[in-house]
Amino acid sequence: MFLEPKESILNLNAYKPNFGASNLKKLIRLSANENALGYTPRIDKELKIENINRYPPQHSAELIKTISKINNLDQNKLILGNGSDDLISVIAQTFLKPGDEAIYTEYGFLQFPQSITIAGGEKKIAKDINFHVSVDNILKLITDKTRLIFLANANNPTGTFISKNEIYRLINSIPENVLLVYDAAYAEYIRNDDYIDGSELVEKYNNVIMLRTFSKLHGLAGLRLGWGYSNSKIINYLMAVRGPFSVNSIAIEAGIIAMKDIDFQNYCYDFNIKSMKFMEIELKKLGINFINSSANFILMNLSEHKKYLAKDAVLFFKNNGVLVREMNVYNLPDYIRVSLGTEEENNYFLKLLKKFITQNDN
Ligand SMILES: Cc1ncc(COP(=O)(O)O)c(C=O)c1O
């Protein structure tokens, strides 16, 4: 008889990003919320590939020091991961046993349910209101079995964030033995007094972990590097569960260089704001409804043009060399999520969108 996995894995599907090949040679990837501007040019100049016959440090003191200095954080409260995805699953494995409940939000990041299931926990979904996380709906789901609340702020795929007041209302209303996993993957794109990246919560509360990534504004998705910030007791538990060498030497070196290049970060931030404004104006001109986003992607609703579903649009874009993401897993068949690209890519996307709409409206 063939060996079966544990029960929670039996019906689990692998996470499927839309990275497939296009019919054309040139592929514009607007499907994974990456940084179209690339990464700091300093990496190509300064990164040395050396000592890779040696294991990487388990806990790179230099990268930890750089992160803590630039973000004004306590070094003892930091953990590095093989992308924040890695830390999401380490957190689920550390705190969930079968029967324990973990809450995530209706249009939340897909790795949350995946990690809860793999760990053997019970998934509880808090309904969003108008594509915004509802603190009340999260609170309604809390029981004495709740262990974790996964919250992406800003959220993927909606691009919306909830305010500082709402976050404080949430953290002040949950029991101390429930950990808030505050995923701030897009924090670098948001400079708004009403937004918090979660670090101040970690200083004030023992039951919060903030997650960050080098995959978005820093442009290092291919290297897999993320970090978490929480009280040192939680960090120590997570370090025991995390693979001892899960962060590789090259990612560590690149991360140090990227974190220090504030000019490149500002350049990407400014570009994102400018591109987002441009896209919003152009989408309005085309009569496309979208959710106002604070991140580097936009969730668009194509249902105004009733004759087609988003999956036809995804195929049309793919055949023309552009990858965008359909939202069927969220039961949003009329929506596509489109990452912002370079100026040229955004213009090409809009040109195609216009063509698609015109074709379908006639
Ligand atoms: C909300 C959110 N968290 C985490 C991640 C994953 O980041 P990483 O590449 O660090 O695993 C993403 C990537 O799309 C995301 O949208």
Side-chain angles (χ1 to χ4, degrees):
M1 208 174 86
F2 200 74
L3 176 66
E4 298 279 11
K6 60 181 180 179
E7 211 182 322
S8 59
I9 310 291
L10 269 175
N11 298 314
L12 189 71
N13 293 317
Y15 179 76
K16 282 194 201 78
N18 180 20
F19 295 167
S22 90
N23 295 344
L24 306 175
K25 278 202 183 105
K26 193 166 165 261
L27 191 70
I28 297 175
R29 192 150 95 178
L30 304 181
S31 58
N33 304 343
E34 296 146 339
N35 185 347
L37 298 180
Y39 49 84
T40 163
R42 286 196 202 167
I43 289 182
D44 286 342
K45 285 195 210 112
E46 296 171 23
L47 182 83
K48 288 192 208 74
I49 298 186
E50 54 189 9
N51 291 332
I52 55 170
N53 56 321
R54 304 292 177 198
Y55 285 102
Q58 272 176 285
H59 191 72
S60 164
E62 205 189 336
L63 178 53
I64 296 271
K65 205 169 92 194
T66 309
I67 293 174
S68 87
K69 202 167 148 205
I70 287 176
N71 297 279
N72 201 14
L73 302 174
D74 180 347
Q75 292 188 38
N76 301 314
K77 296 180 171 181
L78 282 161
I79 183 170
L80 303 174
N82 190 255
S84 42
D85 279 354
D86 178 31
L87 295 173
I88 291 167
S89 48
V90 168
I91 293 165
Q93 284 169 48
T94 305
F95 293 104
L96 296 178
K97 59 180 186 320
D100 284 346
E101 294 173 2
I103 299 170
Y104 64 100
T105 61
E106 185 179 9
Y107 301 120
F109 181 46
L110 289 175
Q111 280 301 327
F112 300 154
Q114 194 82 357
S115 307
I116 299 166
T117 302
I118 293 167
E122 299 288 327
K123 297 186 290 263
K124 298 285 160 187
I125 307 172
K127 283 263 178 216
D128 283 356
I129 297 178
N130 249 333
F131 293 98
H132 283 73
V133 164
S134 157
V135 167
D136 290 319
N137 288 344
I138 294 176
L139 293 177
K140 274 184 214 154
L141 293 176
I142 303 240
T143 71
D144 54 8
K145 290 186 190 152
T146 310
R147 296 288 164 266
L148 301 173
I149 299 169
F150 285 99
L151 174 67
N153 209 32
N155 184 50
N156 169 16
T158 57
T160 56
F161 73 83
I162 56 168
S163 70
K164 185 171 172 167
N165 282 347
E166 281 298 276
I167 295 292
Y168 273 100
R169 191 160 75 82
L170 174 67
I171 190 71
N172 285 324
S173 314
I174 64 175
E176 275 173 356
N177 66 351
V178 171
L179 179 68
L180 174 63
V181 184
Y182 190 93
D183 180 346
Y186 299 94
E188 288 85 354
Y189 286 112
I190 312 170
R191 298 180 187 174
N192 181 321
D193 289 344
D194 215 15
Y195 175 76
I196 49 170
D197 68 10
S199 50
E200 68 177 67
L201 296 178
V202 175
E203 310 300 3
K204 293 185 191 142
Y205 300 83
N206 280 324
N207 55 336
V208 181
I209 180 162
M210 168 181 76
L211 298 181
R212 303 287 288 272
T213 180
F214 281 84
S215 302
K216 305 300 170 187
L217 182 124
H218 292 288
L220 297 177
L223 286 180
R224 314 304 304 125
L225 184 62
W227 52 283
Y229 191 62
S230 188
N231 77 68
S232 50
K233 218 169 149 182
I234 288 181
I235 294 297
N236 289 339
Y237 287 129
L238 300 179
M239 272 307 282
V241 175
R242 200 207 70 173
F245 305 113
S246 63
V247 182
N248 72 77
S249 321
I250 298 173
I252 290 170
E253 290 309 313
I256 294 167
I257 299 170
M259 190 50 77
K260 286 181 181 165
D261 192 348
I262 308 292
D263 286 347
F264 181 76
Q265 292 161 37
N266 286 335
Y267 161 65
C268 295
Y269 169 83
D270 290 342
F271 180 79
N272 195 65
I273 296 285
K274 202 178 85 190
S275 306
M276 187 61 84
K277 281 198 187 121
F278 169 75
M279 282 297 256
E280 287 175 356
I281 292 170
E282 295 303 311
L283 289 174
K284 277 185 192 148
K285 280 190 205 159
L286 292 175
I288 300 285
N289 287 329
F290 58 91
I291 313 296
N292 280 322
S293 168
S294 301
N296 65 341
F297 55 85
I298 314 180
L299 187 60
M300 303 173 191
N301 182 354
L302 303 182
S303 67
E304 286 296 299
H305 304 269
K306 286 267 187 275
K307 289 185 217 92
Y308 40 81
L309 287 172
K311 78 171 179 348
D312 300 329
V314 172
L315 195 67
F316 172 83
F317 283 112
K318 190 172 171 182
N319 289 337
N320 287 284
V322 178
L323 290 180
V324 301
R325 193 77 188 260
E326 65 177 279
M327 292 284 114
N328 283 347
V329 273
Y330 292 101
N331 209 8
L332 293 173
D334 294 328
Y335 287 75
I336 55 172
R337 190 199 64 196
V338 182
S339 314
L340 297 180
T342 60
E343 217 174 299
E344 194 192 353
E345 289 169 346
N346 293 338
N347 280 321
Y348 183 55
F349 165 79
L350 286 165
K351 202 173 117 191
L352 286 179
L353 184 60
K354 195 170 175 180
K355 193 169 162 197
F356 181 72
I357 289 168
T358 325
Q359 269 177 11
N360 279 275
D361 284 348
N362 288 333

